[in-house]
Amino acid sequence: MKLKSLAVLPVIAALLCAGVTAAHAIPDITDPFASLAAGSEPSHILVDGFGDIYTLNTGNGSISKIHPDGTFDGSFHAEFPPLSQPNSFATDGHGALYVSSYSASTVWRVDSATGTIDSGFSTHLGTELDGQLPESVTVDLAGNIFVATYSPAAVVKIAPTGDVLGRFALALGSGPVDITTDWAGSVYTANAGDSTISRVAFGGAGAGVVDRRFAVLDTGAMPISVTSNNRGQLYTANSGDNTVSTIDLALPPGSAPATTTLMPPDSYPYNVSSDRLGNVFVTNLGTASVSLFESTGRFTPVVAQLTSAETPEAAAISGYGQLYTANGLSSTVTRFGLGPTFAMSPVASARVGDSYSSGVTVTGLDPMTFSVTGFLPPGIGVDKGTGTLAGTPTTAGTFTFDLVAANVAGATAQTVTITVAPAPGSTGCWYWHEACGL
């Protein structure tokens, strides 16, 4: 397990202790979903738009690419120089991964299809980051790369070509260890050294304005991970006081303190990540669990529980509600099906005049809600809380509709066809005494 590259970070003695009350959840768990090479020690994880999973392996200096079915991509091969210890990566969503290395003081651009390191990017970047100890990297919607460097404390803006576009100094001793962007293009750093959040905002002309104390957290909070959701909020995992902070980005800088959530005892929140719905997931090293801050603000202490032998160093969620954790201690990836997944469909046959009732089996997080798109057989309705279809059919025929299950992690539609037979002795038609061919 590789902790953040900051000597003053506290290390919780009982990292593997349990004891957090389980949430009301029934995710479909695959553990392990993938087993990496011994000593890989994955520290970060990403999921792309195709559902492929990438792990950044700090232990052996590589990236692994895993398909949604759990198989490894044999055509992908990404390895970095010995002892370089890559410590962060990000994707531009268009075929490139950017990897920062604290030890090698550089950033690499990697082809997400093959794993090949882009030599042209490395040539353009050259020695621009030498000795600056890049802690973390992120990419904005325009494809610009931003790196948080520890010495000196700064944000460095890099073009996709590898050319440095700007440097933005942060406060001396601030100790930036993580970096993220929001939908407006602003960049934020989590500063463990002075328990602050810095922001670099860019105007229409591209000039950056630095607010070194955009938000001030509690003394000793020591934020080590930061993410923004698409609802105008910033979240930090704070290693110093076992908390998670929420900052409203709509408020003027420094106008309101961060909202602080005290995590369950010995959680040791380590990484925060967000999904496309605005939910934020927190990995907890101490309790081997994942917590959830919903986009509505509701907090669930445990939505995914691993064994005590795991250390979920990071998490990522796909557009289909699949949560993946990178487990540094065991060099594995675990998958939790948080989004709705149908495991059993309703009974497909019914008869006019006979009572009909059929439930469904769906895995995922509770609470779950159900709805129908299309037309149910007349006389049959859906229970919005359970998905049970029930009633007494009044009309013969074949009816096809979509039963939709939704929860905080997403929505899934199951196409259902129910054939309703005529009542015994009926011709099937109300207007004719002979059979209608039903």
Side-chain angles (χ1 to χ4, degrees):
M1 179 183 67
K2 302 299 182 188
L3 297 179
K4 301 286 184 181
S5 304
L6 184 63
V8 295
L9 291 183
V11 179
I12 303 300
L15 279 180
L16 304 180
C17 70
V20 176
T21 303
H24 298 290
I26 49 169
D28 178 28
I29 304 172
T30 306
D31 186 21
F33 171 73
S35 295
L36 309 178
S40 294
E41 300 180 17
S43 60
H44 291 74
I45 190 166
L46 294 173
V47 183
D48 67 14
F50 299 101
D52 290 321
I53 304 101
Y54 300 83
T55 63
L56 180 64
N57 309 317
T58 304
N60 61 12
S62 69
I63 297 176
S64 298
K65 181 178 181 180
I66 309 164
H67 294 307
D69 63 359
T71 61
F72 286 88
D73 189 328
S75 63
F76 182 90
H77 185 74
E79 291 187 355
F80 305 102
L83 305 179
S84 60
Q85 283 196 320
N87 60 325
S88 173
F89 72 163
T91 178
D92 64 1
H94 300 286
L97 302 171
Y98 293 92
V99 182
S100 66
S101 169
Y102 185 88
S103 299
S105 283
T106 194
V107 171
W108 295 288
R109 176 186 168 106
V110 177
D111 188 306
S112 63
T114 65
T116 303
I117 297 176
D118 186 336
S119 58
F121 179 90
S122 296
T123 298
H124 278 265
L125 181 61
T127 59
E128 290 282 357
L129 298 178
D130 274 11
Q132 296 177 36
L133 308 179
E135 284 277 7
S136 186
V137 61
T138 191
V139 184
D140 70 9
L141 293 177
N144 298 301
I145 304 99
F146 295 90
V147 183
T149 61
Y150 191 71
S151 179
V155 171
V156 181
K157 182 179 181 180
I158 305 172
T161 58
D163 298 295
V164 171
L165 301 177
R167 297 177 186 272
F168 307 93
L170 305 180
L172 182 66
S174 56
V177 293
D178 200 18
I179 190 168
T180 193
T181 63
D182 66 14
W183 286 53
S186 295
V187 179
Y188 304 86
T189 61
N191 306 322
D194 62 5
S195 294
T196 64
I197 304 297
S198 298
R199 182 181 71 174
V200 183
F202 295 91
V209 177
V210 181
D211 190 327
R212 297 179 176 178
R213 297 172 67 84
F214 174 77
V216 179
L217 308 183
D218 293 339
T219 301
M222 298 179 65
I224 57 172
S225 181
V226 61
T227 191
S228 65
N229 65 5
N230 58 9
R231 303 298 178 93
Q233 296 167 314
L234 200 71
Y235 286 79
T236 65
N238 306 320
S239 67
D241 59 5
N242 197 46
T243 64
V244 171
S245 296
T246 309
I247 301 157
D248 186 348
L249 298 181
L251 296 174
S255 64
T259 300
T260 300
T261 300
L262 181 64
M263 302 295 282
D266 300 319
S267 290
Y268 190 56
Y270 191 70
N271 179 269
V272 285
S273 58
S274 58
D275 68 8
R276 60 185 179 85
L277 300 176
N279 303 306
V280 172
F281 298 87
V282 185
T283 61
N284 305 303
L285 290 189
T287 52
S289 65
V290 180
S291 304
L292 169 63
F293 288 85
E294 296 181 20
S295 59
T296 60
R298 185 173 69 174
F299 172 58
T300 303
V302 179
V303 293
Q305 181 66 61
L306 293 93
T307 69
S308 59
E310 304 286 9
T311 51
E313 297 202 18
I317 191 163
S318 74
Y320 304 99
Q322 303 294 316
L323 178 74
Y324 300 90
T325 62
N327 309 319
L329 188 63
S330 60
S331 292
T332 61
V333 173
T334 303
R335 181 179 68 184
F336 296 85
L338 302 187
T341 300
F342 284 89
M344 185 182 74
S345 297
V347 174
S349 60
R351 186 181 294 277
V352 171
D354 291 349
S355 177
Y356 172 91
S357 180
S358 182
V360 294
T361 301
V362 183
T363 61
L365 285 181
D366 287 331
M368 200 88 67
T369 59
F370 296 85
S371 61
V372 168
T373 301
F375 298 98
L376 285 164
I380 293 179
V382 60
D383 186 308
K384 294 182 179 180
T386 66
T388 298
L389 301 176
T392 302
T394 60
T395 305
T398 299
F399 304 86
T400 299
F401 54 92
D402 284 340
L403 181 61
V404 181
N407 66 6
V408 67
T412 302
Q414 172 80 40
T415 299
V416 178
T417 297
I418 298 178
T419 299
V420 181
S426 168
T427 65
C429 296
W430 61 269
Y431 55 84
W432 194 246
H433 65 279
E434 294 182 357
C436 295
L438 295 175

